[in-house]
Amino acid sequence: MDVLRPQLININGRKYRRNIIKEEHYEEEEDFSYMGPPESEELAEDETCDTHIIEQTDKGFRCAIDVPSVLYKYIIGKKGETRRRLESDTKTSINIPKQGIEGQIVITGPHKAAVSSAVTRIEVLIESFRRKQPFTHFLSIPLNDPKIQEGFLKFKDDVMQQCSQDHRVEESIFQNPAKLHLTVGTLVLLNDIEVRKVCEHLQDCQNFIRDITEGKPLPLEVTGIEYMNDDPAMVDVLYAKVNVKDRTDKLQVIADRLVEHFVSAGLMVREWDRVKLHGTVMNTLFRKDSTVEDTGGQGRQPTSAREAFDARNILKTFGAYRFGEFELNTVLLSQRYSTDCTGYYTSAGSINFS
């Protein structure tokens, strides 16, 4: 890291410098320093906590914040070192529930500014380590309409009949037809409270989606295939292209607006300028593990242990393949590594277009 150009992160409108501190407990533990105006005693007295209520008590000040239990260990640190350092630096007391018990972390101290400082530092730690957690849910647009599944199964059969002699083209790398989908964006939701919060935000999006669709299902066509990387002879992901039948960009606008909403709410990390709408039909990751989730575009998935396939004949023969048409009427909050009674991902929430 260039010490003259440190990496900055933005939390609740404030910028923080990311410092790396080597510690025995973690391969590298992240510490953060607030990059706001220089603090004076007068400023500290007026400091407020933007997102949490700090209550005055007969013993000083108190603030309770919701933190998923899986993140407690990052605030505690090895043998309690991180918590002790936080308490010492901010002159506060930090009470953390027992591991595995969902609850609130309670910060108390004699001064409001001290409690506010501790809350801010805990929030920065949480944000840092949350980004290291694997995603748990994703906003999905299901493509598993029976007509599309039927078209996909025919595509699979035709490819295996005509192209199975091509390098590494095997049945194991085809998508599960019941899980055909578009991924809008991924989320890390670590307890039921966070899932409910995202569901509430998803409901907030229903109005602008209905404005875009005029309160009607969106007629889509799934036609044509494309590949992710630069060499058609060495392909890892082959995907179906999805378009609105009237050739408008309504589907793209819906996806981009959803991401914008959740990024603004601090619930999603933006990875691309625009959502890449693609329905994976073949993925070399499936070769090793049929439960792998395909949830995004280029760069998201690990390349180690992949065995690319030669897609030149597939692209030449099936480049304009028609999987079918259907009317889209929903966006789902889907749970990773899950299956409902239809074979699709278990839904934690949804909104409808009509």
Side-chain angles (χ1 to χ4, degrees), residues 156-198:
K156 178 180 176 180
D157 289 343
D158 291 347
V159 168
M160 291 306 298
Q161 287 179 13
Q162 301 181 43
C163 305
S164 61
Q165 300 304 311
D166 295 338
H167 179 69
R168 301 304 283 163
V169 173
E170 301 169 0
E171 189 171 350
S172 63
I173 64 176
F174 284 86
Q175 173 69 284
N176 178 346
K179 290 193 172 182
L180 289 165
H181 69 280
L182 304 175
T183 294
V184 176
T186 61
L187 306 105
V188 177
L189 308 178
L190 302 177
N191 59 21
D192 291 339
I193 295 173
E194 295 187 346
V195 172
R196 288 196 295 270
K197 182 178 180 181
V198 168

Side-chain angles (χ1 to χ4, degrees), residues 259-292:
V259 169
E260 183 64 37
H261 178 92
F262 282 94
V263 169
S264 298
L267 297 168
M268 186 180 289
V269 177
R270 184 186 300 281
E271 298 186 58
W272 316 103
D273 291 337
R274 302 189 76 191
V275 177
K276 184 174 181 62
L277 296 173
H278 69 284
T280 296
V281 293
M282 299 173 72
N283 189 331
T284 56
L285 286 181
F286 299 155
R287 193 193 312 277
K288 297 292 184 181
D289 183 358
S290 63
T291 67
V292 166

Side-chain angles (χ1 to χ4, degrees), residues 97-150:
K98 292 182 178 180
Q99 190 65 44
I101 299 176
E102 296 293 343
Q104 292 182 313
I105 290 179
V106 178
I107 302 100
T108 56
H111 304 292
K112 183 176 181 180
V115 173
S116 178
S117 177
V119 169
T120 298
R121 291 187 61 170
I122 289 174
E123 281 189 318
V124 174
L125 275 175
I126 291 169
E127 179 64 18
S128 168
F129 289 109
R130 176 184 290 278
R131 291 180 180 231
K132 297 180 179 179
Q133 307 299 315
F135 75 89
T136 60
H137 295 72
F138 57 101
L139 295 181
S140 76
I141 293 174
L143 301 179
N144 62 340
D145 181 272
K147 294 186 290 294
I148 305 302
Q149 289 196 55
E150 182 180 352

